[in-house]
Amino acid sequence: MPFWREVFGRKLVQIDIQPLGDTPFEATATLRALPGVRRLSCTSTAARTQRTRGLVADGDDGFALLISVGGALSASQLGRELSL
């Protein structure tokens, strides 16, 4: 988990990852980078991901398109929450 959080989360995709619950954390990911575009396919056990102040300071103004293909997904920003 420490390697996944630091290398994948913070270094590659600029997010902080925190597992939820007592279930052991498992994840797989495929990251493809092209000029001006990144594509990430990821599955994981329940986790909270966030862009902390420190990670937002990188100046990356990209956006994410989240598609839930199974299970629950919720997102929040500025005090508003959306559940899928």
Side-chain angles (χ1 to χ4, degrees):
M1 187 64 212
F3 178 84
W4 183 260
R5 287 184 74 190
E6 185 62 32
V7 175
F8 177 76
R10 294 184 181 126
K11 301 290 185 206
L12 293 176
V13 294
Q14 294 83 36
I15 59 173
D16 184 41
I17 304 167
Q18 299 173 6
L20 297 177
D22 295 331
T23 304
F25 181 78
E26 294 182 21
T28 61
T30 302
L31 179 62
R32 292 193 171 94
L34 300 170
V37 133
R38 289 180 292 189
R39 180 180 177 269
L40 170 66
S41 298
C42 183
T43 61
S44 74
T45 54
R48 176 182 181 189
T49 60
Q50 64 180 347
R51 296 251 306 152
T52 62
R53 281 188 193 267
L55 294 171
V56 171
D58 67 2
D60 184 345
D61 63 352
F63 70 94
L65 172 63
L66 303 173
I67 301 171
S68 177
V69 294
L73 173 70
S74 64
S76 65
Q77 181 176 2
L78 302 172
R80 297 187 304 187
E81 187 167 320
L82 173 67
S83 295
L84 303 172

